[in-house]
């Protein structure tokens, strides 16, 4: 099926990229369970009405977010510092009234809210994945184990009153049922409050051909244009945008009730930029799809050459993103010996679909491989700074964003 209807506005969508049959990106398997992996069809379309870029097929949420969801936000020192900064700015700029209240959707291990908790400010994390919610609770964060949706918002309102800030990082794009979320936001937000969310930016994904940002959990690839339309559709207004360098390029969007805040020039300017480059047009997205196929071909060609030369290649970072790359390109343990990763819940397991073993960071150095394929390219600065010994030992990095090259 290459036609569908938009999850936001109901207009027709047009498919522009098919990444094939894919496993759940965060479902790291034990060797005895490789025969019952769940697969779905990963294809992306654009709404011809509101320009929202979205997956053509939805994976049931309980299959992705559950008591053994492995992803931990605290796995990167740059991200820890980023979220501490977010908390500090919310505390300084928004949570200044009498007994303010902030709700975070998808608080994960509490990486942002623990700074708020330490400041003694009233907060609540809403997090359906029990494994990570428990870690947040241990860090002193108040957590409710639930999927945020309209009913959850109503319950929180009744129990705790309205929220001055509703915040979500790398979570709103994970949620196909935005209508219920937006009704929940309208229910829970104070009259002058803000809904702030940050997610991978379509402009960066298209600009860097970072097609690995597309996987089951990333249902939407937002742009200022599509978020502006989505906000209006649900009775809110896009009042601010800020481009962020984390995770390969994101945008932080601020929504408020109509008239509650003045729209900044940054919004007008980003909307104009997107219009100028035709960011949400089928032509631009079709050209992106062509570049994706080339990056995939180039990467497999390079890995095959290295295998023929008898070189050792190891993956670095068992990211959710890597599932798209390995399964789209057909990369298995024949081309990548193992993937090194610091996350306990991924180690000792096999990467979804590709069945490349995941090993500890220590094993990366025992001994160093000839090449490291940087699946966690979004953390390149941090990782390369920590791995100078690998370079000194003659090791080289393979990158595939924005194109395939060895450095
Ligand atoms: N905010 C963190 C975590 C992002 S991972 C960070 O930026 O690093 C996305 C998180 O969203 C997961 O922990 C997942 O369990 C959670 N999530 C998924 N659907 C949700 C929903 N409907 N409401 C709240 N959280 C949700
Ligand atoms: P990330 O790129 O944050 O997200 P996603 O899974 O959504 O694509 O994942 C980074 C992964 O890389 C995570 O599993 C932790 C791992 N990692 C390391 O192994 N070493 C490191 O130094 C860093 C920063 C991350
Ligand atoms: Zn639409």
């Amino acid at each position: 099926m290459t036609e569908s209807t938009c999850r936001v506005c109901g207009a027709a969508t047009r498919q522009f990229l098919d990444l094939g049959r894919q496993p759940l990106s965060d479902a790291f398997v034990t060797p005895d369970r490789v025969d019952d992996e769940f697969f779905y069809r990963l294809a992306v379309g654009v709404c011809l009405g509101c320009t929202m870029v979205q997956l053509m097929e939805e994976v049931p949420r309980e299959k992705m977010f559950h008591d053994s969801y492995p992803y931990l936000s605290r796995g990167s020192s740059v991200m820890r510092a980023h979220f501490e900064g977010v908390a500090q700015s919310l505390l300084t700029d928004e949570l200044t009234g009498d007994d303010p209240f902030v709700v975070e959707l998808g608080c994960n291990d509490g990486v942002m809210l623990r700074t708020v908790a330490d400041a003694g400010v009233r907060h609540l994390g809403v997090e359906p994945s029990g494994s990570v919610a428990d870690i947040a609770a241990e860090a002193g964060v108040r957590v409710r184990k639930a999927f945020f949706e309209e009913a959850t918002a109503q319950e929180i309102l009744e129990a705790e009153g309205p929220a001055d800030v509703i915040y979500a990082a790398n979570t709103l794009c994970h949620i196909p049922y935005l209508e219920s979320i937006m009704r929940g936001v309208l229910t829970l937000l104070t009259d002058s409050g803000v809904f702030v969310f940050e997610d991978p930016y379509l402009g960066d994904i298209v600009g860097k051909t970072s097609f690995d940002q597309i996987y089951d959990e990333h249902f939407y690839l937002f742009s200022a244009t599509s978020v502006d339309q989505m906000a209006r559709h649900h009775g809110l207004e896009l009042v601010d945008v800020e481009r962020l360098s984390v995770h390969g390029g994101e945008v932080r969007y601020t929504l408020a009730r109509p008239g509650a805040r003045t729209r900044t020039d940054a919004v007008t300017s980003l909307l104009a930029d997107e219009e100028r480059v035709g960011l949400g047009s089928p032509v631009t997205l079709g050209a992106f799809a062509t570049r994706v196929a080339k990056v995939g071909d180039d990467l497999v060609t390079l890995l095959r050459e290295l295998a023929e030369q008898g070189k050792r290649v190891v993956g670095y970072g068992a990211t959710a993103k890597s599932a798209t790359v390995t399964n789209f390109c057909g990369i298995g343990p024949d081309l990548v010996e193992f993937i090194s990763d610091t996350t306990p819940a991924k180690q000792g397991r096999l990467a979804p679909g590709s069945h490349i073993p995941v090993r500890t960071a220590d094993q990366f150095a025992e001994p160093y491989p000839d090449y490291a394929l940087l699946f966690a390219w979004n953390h390149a600065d941090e990782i390369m700074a920590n791995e100078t010994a690998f370079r000194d030992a003659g090791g080289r990095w393979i990158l595939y964003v924005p194109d395939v090259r060895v450095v």
Side-chain angles (χ1 to χ4, degrees), residues 69-194:
Y69 181 67
Y71 183 75
L72 295 177
S73 304
R74 56 174 67 167
S76 148
S77 62
V78 170
M79 293 314 298
R80 289 197 296 275
H82 171 77
F83 287 120
E84 199 178 313
V86 169
Q88 293 296 358
S89 71
L90 291 179
L91 289 167
T92 312
D93 301 335
E94 296 290 342
L95 301 167
T96 52
D98 182 29
D99 189 26
F101 180 42
V102 52
V103 172
E104 182 180 8
L105 321 186
C107 70
N108 197 272
D109 56 16
V111 70
M112 194 286 281
L113 281 181
R114 60 186 171 175
T115 303
V116 175
D118 289 347
V121 168
R122 208 152 57 85
H123 64 275
L124 182 68
V126 185
E127 176 51 70
S129 298
S131 44
V132 296
D134 287 340
I135 297 174
E138 279 160 30
V141 169
R142 283 187 64 226
V143 201
R144 185 185 182 102
K145 282 188 198 173
F147 286 97
F148 185 85
E149 55 192 337
E150 193 181 4
T152 326
Q154 188 62 47
E155 286 162 21
I156 296 171
L157 179 74
E158 281 159 22
E160 329 237 355
D164 301 282
V165 175
I166 301 176
Y167 174 78
N170 306 297
T171 296
L172 201 68
C173 76
H174 290 55
I175 307 182
Y177 42 100
L178 279 184
E179 194 177 342
S180 175
I181 299 296
M182 300 305 277
R183 280 206 300 260
V185 167
L186 284 171
T187 299
L188 189 56
L189 201 64
T190 59
D191 285 345
S192 58
V194 280

Side-chain angles (χ1 to χ4, degrees), residues 71 75 215 247 317 319-321 341-343 346 378-379 382-383:
Y71 183 75
Y215 52 90
H247 284 313
T319 55
K321 293 183 286 292
D341 195 284
T342 53
T343 316
K346 297 180 183 179
N378 47 311
H379 302 301
E382 174 179 352
I383 290 171

